[in-house]
Amino acid sequence: MDNFPIVDTHVHLWHPKQLRYPWLKDVPDLNKPFLLQDYSDAHQGLKIESIVFVQCDTHPDDGFKETTWVTSLAIVESRIKGIVAWAPLEEGRQVAPFVEKLAEESLVKGIRRLIQTEDIDFCIQPNFVNGVKTLSRFNLSFDLCIFHPQLANTISLVEQCPNVQFILDHIGKPDIKNQLFDPWKQEITTLASFENVYCKISGLVTEADHNSWNPADLKPYIDHVIEAFSFDRVIYGSDWPVSTLASDYPRWVHTLKDAVAGCSTDELNKLFHDNAKTFYRLT
């Protein structure tokens, strides 16, 4: 496994002295810089071939600055092949100039505007739906970051945006700690019926018990998303450094690989490498 080429589609980097991240004050273990060298130290001997940086919910005024900062990091870290940037999609069609400016950056492959911190109806408000629809004009995908109670409305959002490519972050953040499956399980099956939706297998460890989770807690959830989306539409992500609240980097990789033991080499490549390059259009 140590020489297995991996595309990590969910990496965060932040420097609280350069950009503002209001949410970090509530998570003291994460309220410090997490930079490229820290990431390299974290994945140890694993072969990380490419990285997709995902926006870190900066203060809105710093949203575009974050993309500029990460673009500068990519000059010295060639593994950064893609950026999922922030945009105020709740502005509706008026967001188009902002998105167009982002799309001029070749590394920007998609947009994420967090839904998980908003009211349950946020993602089906007409302005937000129109903002998401705008992304298809610029060939940008949308990362869906939600908690499981928001899945039903997320399905409605996807239904209204057939021309947008979506990826569900963190398998929809089910309540793994309490081993709850319904209605998450049925709603995942429904979401997977839309062929323009992929699923990112990431962030599971932080939805489990941070201190006492074991692979058996995660496996039923992994099994279900693979059954629903198939190996053609599932993608690996580390969610580093948020994942450090519950696991070191190699443990998560080995947990996921063990969960799919018995799959073919082709399927393993799709999960950890090939699908990521296809979805995020990585070179």
Side-chain angles (χ1 to χ4, degrees):
M1 184 65 192
D2 287 353
N3 293 319
F4 191 87
I6 295 172
V7 178
D8 189 344
T9 63
H10 210 95
V11 176
H12 301 299
L13 301 165
W14 58 68
H15 198 318
K17 292 185 178 179
Q18 291 193 11
L19 300 169
R20 292 167 289 173
Y21 310 87
W23 63 277
L24 282 179
K25 69 181 185 299
D26 298 322
V27 194
D29 287 345
L30 298 178
N31 194 8
K32 59 184 179 180
F34 283 91
L35 303 172
L36 287 167
Q37 187 57 56
D38 302 308
Y39 178 76
S40 293
D41 292 343
H43 67 65
Q44 299 174 25
L46 295 168
K47 185 179 179 181
I48 308 300
E49 181 184 282
S50 302
I51 297 167
V52 176
F53 168 86
V54 177
Q55 63 87 215
C56 304
D57 204 25
T58 64
H59 186 285
D61 291 345
D62 288 349
F64 197 89
K65 294 177 185 176
E66 181 182 50
T67 296
T68 302
W69 177 61
V70 177
T71 300
S72 72
L73 295 180
I75 296 172
V76 296
E77 175 50 88
S78 62
R79 292 182 299 174
I80 298 176
K81 299 295 188 183
I83 295 173
V84 177
W86 175 87
L89 297 182
E90 63 272 30
E91 294 181 1
R93 295 184 180 90
Q94 293 181 356
V95 79
F98 190 99
V99 174
E100 184 176 23
K101 187 177 179 182
L102 285 169
E104 291 172 357
E105 300 286 347
S106 62
L107 285 177
V108 174
K109 308 297 183 179
I111 298 296
R112 186 174 80 160
R113 166 63 168 89
L114 282 182
I115 296 171
Q116 67 177 25
T117 53
E118 303 293 346
D119 293 338
I120 197 163
D121 292 333
F122 175 80
C123 72
I124 55 172
Q125 296 300 312
N127 273 351
F128 187 79
V129 174
N130 285 331
V132 173
K133 286 180 177 179
T134 300
L135 302 183
S136 62
R137 289 170 48 189
F138 304 102
N139 196 29
L140 296 175
S141 60
F142 186 68
D143 269 54
L144 294 156
C145 191
I146 64 170
F147 284 114
H148 62 95
Q150 297 167 311
L151 256 173
N153 280 341
T154 297
I155 292 166
S156 177
L157 168 66
V158 168
E159 192 172 25
Q160 295 176 71
C161 303
N163 296 322
V164 177
Q165 292 294 304
F166 292 95
I167 187 162
L168 179 67
D169 291 351
H170 314 324
I171 72 168
K173 291 198 169 185
D175 187 354
I176 299 174
K177 182 176 181 179
N178 292 305
Q179 289 290 285
L180 295 180
F181 290 93
D182 300 320
W184 171 86
K185 191 172 183 178
Q186 295 88 346
E187 289 169 345
I188 284 292
T189 300
T190 301
L191 185 63
S193 69
F194 295 90
E195 294 185 359
N196 58 323
V197 184
Y198 281 58
C199 183
K200 197 177 292 189
I201 304 183
S202 59
L204 277 71
V205 294
T206 46
E207 299 310 310
D209 188 296
H210 289 189
N211 299 314
S212 63
W213 70 270
N214 63 70
D217 298 331
L218 311 185
K219 192 173 189 311
Y221 295 90
I222 295 169
D223 287 347
H224 182 63
V225 295
I226 292 176
E227 179 183 359
F229 286 92
S230 83
F231 275 100
D232 290 331
R233 287 188 288 137
V234 289
I235 295 177
Y236 164 77
S238 69
D239 195 27
W240 184 90
V242 179
S243 57
T244 63
L245 296 172
S247 175
D248 62 44
Y249 195 110
R251 185 185 179 197
W252 164 233
V253 171
H254 293 136
T255 295
L256 180 54
K257 185 170 183 287
D258 289 346
V260 298
C263 73
S264 68
T265 300
D266 182 55
E267 290 169 332
L268 201 63
N269 278 324
K270 287 180 178 181
L271 171 60
F272 280 98
H273 186 274
D274 297 352
N275 292 345
K277 296 193 75 171
T278 298
F279 183 84
Y280 283 116
R281 308 179 314 283
L282 307 180
T283 56

